[in-house]
Amino acid sequence: MHILFLTDNFPPEGNAPATRTYEHAVRWVQAGHKVTVITCAPNFPEGRVFDGYKNTLYQKSDLDGINVIRVKTYITANEGFVKRILDYMSFMVMGFIAGLFQTKPDVIVATSPQFFCACAGWVLSVVRRKPFVFELRDIWPASITAVGAMKDSNVIRLLEKLELFLYRRADSIITVTHSFKKELIERGIDGNKIDVVLNGVDLSKYEPALEKDKKLAKKYDLEGKFVAGYIGTHGMAHGLENIVAVAEKLQSESDIRIVFAGGGAARQKVVDLVKNKKLNNVVLIDRQPKDMMPRVWSLCDVSLVPLKNSDLFKTVIPSKIFECMGMGIPTIMSVPEGEATAIIKNTNSGITVQPENVNEIVNGILKLKNESRLYTELKNDSIKSASEFSRDLMAEKMLNIFKKLK
């Protein structure tokens, strides 16, 4: 089977969409299938093309057996609705054109969170007369208004109509949460064509670390420290100013450090807040290549997983919780009560607190630092639970959905 996959995030980008697509695709190749990924020059999250790459019209390469096609797009940082829409639409057009020249695909898959990528996938499926699979990673455009990037307007309502059109036209919809499936059914989408494939963890890469990475721990002066880390994209949805406030309240705890590692639209805000508050218990680590992430994660004793207090985020499952399980790092989750908090509770892989509640996050860090028996229990249960979310299982489940459509 030839799987044609459209996504505007792909390695060497290390965010959740890029990682999910790559880790699935490489397993489909290993299973004997041909996989072609149409994407753009790597630039997320800063909106700058990575070193060693160019934003050229058409590039072809091979990544672990995956046929990778990169097309030229309008590249911008996540700074303003209009610029981002231009970015998305340029990939829609160029991705569609590139898709016309790929030989004999059996199924066409396009992924969100933004669905202009899905538009390209649907039109390609019509022209090529092949099944269209919409991989739904986020309820967009609702997430735009949830983070305050744009107010409800005629434009948003127009995008919502386009969103529903794509759901109805898709031959199959694969959502990353059960909550998304439930919401789509409530909005009139046929539940029989919706499957749930959660995010997961590559257990060959993410395994319990016996100790902190010595080189990095020395570099960032984290030897002998209890480290609470926010690792990943610094986005508008995360409310990271609250984590800075946590650090401010913990200044008197000389053996605790708060680590921010990653990049994104809210990164500079974090840097400025730390500087203005003169916090000496915060360590700032720039965005790292994906293959460095297990080493970065090893620095953490606990993982901080925050989201803003919006009803929309009740349906979101931050993918980093699965990597934390694989490495045996307990999670302190401060997100609205929903599917993600249920996973943490059911697996006993961490503790949950109220979203944007600085005092509860502080107390959670102190609790896991001081109660060694509880910490060990959460760590062990995290490791045990990781196998339930193996990327091998998730890739196979998704492949079986494709086979039914062929």
Side-chain angles (χ1 to χ4, degrees):
M1 178 167 55
H2 181 190
I3 303 164
L4 179 58
F5 203 113
L6 280 72
T7 173
D8 56 359
N9 291 119
F10 199 67
E13 294 172 330
N15 62 341
T19 300
R20 175 184 172 99
T21 301
Y22 165 77
E23 291 183 352
H24 284 165
V26 76
R27 285 163 173 77
W28 300 334
V29 169
Q30 291 166 357
H33 302 283
K34 180 180 179 181
V35 181
T36 299
V37 171
I38 298 177
T39 187
C40 54
N43 67 88
F44 183 89
E46 288 87 2
R48 296 191 301 270
V49 176
F50 286 21
D51 291 342
Y53 291 84
K54 293 182 179 179
N55 188 24
T56 56
L57 193 64
Y58 189 93
Q59 306 169 69
K60 186 175 180 179
S61 62
D62 179 276
L63 178 61
D64 297 329
I66 305 165
N67 180 35
V68 182
I69 307 297
R70 297 189 185 274
V71 296
K72 187 171 184 176
T73 61
Y74 173 76
I75 291 176
T76 180
N78 189 11
E79 297 172 348
F81 180 77
V82 174
K83 286 185 176 181
R84 293 303 288 169
I85 291 295
L86 288 174
D87 183 341
Y88 298 155
M89 293 187 73
S90 66
F91 179 70
M92 175 182 70
V93 173
M94 296 301 294
F96 166 73
I97 294 171
L100 294 174
F101 295 94
Q102 308 312 310
T103 57
K104 298 180 179 179
D106 294 296
V107 62
I108 296 169
V109 190
T111 190
S112 63
Q114 56 85 7
F115 53 67
F116 289 101
C117 176
C119 289
W122 170 69
V123 177
L124 264 178
S125 74
V126 172
V127 174
R128 304 295 300 264
R129 296 183 180 180
K130 299 297 179 182
F132 167 52
V133 179
F134 188 166
E135 184 187 53
L136 182 65
R137 296 187 42 81
D138 198 359
I139 301 295
W140 201 87
S143 57
I144 298 175
T145 55
V147 301
M150 191 174 180
K151 294 182 179 180
D152 192 20
S153 65
N154 289 332
V155 173
I156 292 293
R157 284 187 282 276
L158 180 62
L159 291 175
E160 287 173 344
K161 288 181 179 180
L162 178 58
E163 173 195 20
L164 287 170
F165 173 86
L166 290 168
Y167 295 155
R168 294 188 180 107
R169 293 300 185 275
D171 295 287
S172 171
I173 300 172
I174 297 175
T175 71
V176 298
T177 76
H178 294 278
S179 301
F180 288 174
K181 177 176 180 177
K182 180 182 177 183
E183 178 171 339
L184 263 57
I185 292 173
E186 289 174 349
R187 294 171 72 184
I189 306 304
D190 181 6
N192 292 322
K193 69 176 184 179
I194 306 173
D195 292 279
V196 180
V197 179
L198 298 176
N199 274 311
V201 55
D202 185 343
L203 293 175
S204 68
K205 297 177 181 177
Y206 293 87
E207 55 186 9
L210 299 178
E211 59 183 356
K212 289 179 169 62
D213 184 277
K214 290 182 178 179
K215 188 175 181 180
L216 292 180
K218 184 176 182 179
K219 178 178 180 180
Y220 296 110
D221 194 23
L222 294 173
E223 296 165 311
K225 305 298 184 184
F226 187 86
V227 177
Y230 176 82
I231 314 297
T233 301
H234 292 38
M236 298 170 66
H238 300 112
L240 295 181
E241 65 277 5
N242 297 306
I243 305 303
V244 176
V246 167
E248 189 173 16
K249 283 183 173 290
L250 287 170
Q251 284 185 95
S252 62
E253 302 286 336
S254 60
D255 56 348
I256 294 179
R257 292 291 182 270
I258 306 297
V259 168
F260 290 89
R267 173 69 174 185
Q268 192 57 49
K269 181 179 181 180
V270 170
V271 172
D272 291 343
L273 281 171
V274 170
K275 182 180 179 180
N276 293 338
K277 293 177 180 293
K278 299 180 181 179
L279 300 179
N280 56 15
N281 62 340
V282 173
V283 175
L284 300 169
I285 302 176
D286 290 337
R287 176 182 54 79
Q288 300 294 310
K290 188 64 180 180
D291 59 8
M292 275 286 292
M293 294 316 297
R295 294 179 59 193
V296 174
W297 274 120
S298 78
L299 299 173
C300 300
D301 294 287
V302 297
S303 169
L304 302 178
V305 180
L307 282 171
K308 287 188 174 182
N309 192 13
S310 166
D311 284 347
L312 177 71
F313 298 136
K314 293 179 179 180
T315 65
V316 171
I317 303 176
S319 61
K320 70 184 69 178
I321 66 174
F322 304 118
E323 295 177 355
C324 293
M325 287 182 194
M327 296 199 69
I329 302 170
T331 293
I332 298 176
M333 175 173 281
S334 52
V335 310
E337 194 79 14
E339 195 164 348
T341 56
I343 290 174
I344 295 299
K345 291 175 182 178
N346 293 339
T347 58
N348 196 39
S349 57
I351 60 176
T352 64
V353 301
Q354 292 298 310
E356 301 191 85
N357 191 314
V358 172
N359 288 332
E360 288 194 11
I361 299 171
V362 168
N363 291 337
I365 293 171
L366 293 173
K367 185 181 183 72
L368 293 189
K369 173 182 175 290
N370 296 324
E371 298 184 22
S372 58
R373 182 178 295 180
L374 172 63
Y375 181 87
T376 300
E377 177 187 326
L378 297 178
K379 181 181 180 71
N380 290 340
D381 284 348
S382 293
I383 296 168
K384 290 177 185 176
S385 300
S387 61
E388 299 176 31
F389 306 99
S390 163
R391 193 70 85 179
D392 292 340
L393 296 176
M394 303 305 170
E396 182 179 7
K397 184 175 181 180
M398 201 161 172
L399 185 60
N400 288 336
I401 295 168
F402 299 161
K403 288 178 179 177
K404 292 177 183 177
L405 296 172
K406 184 181 174 184

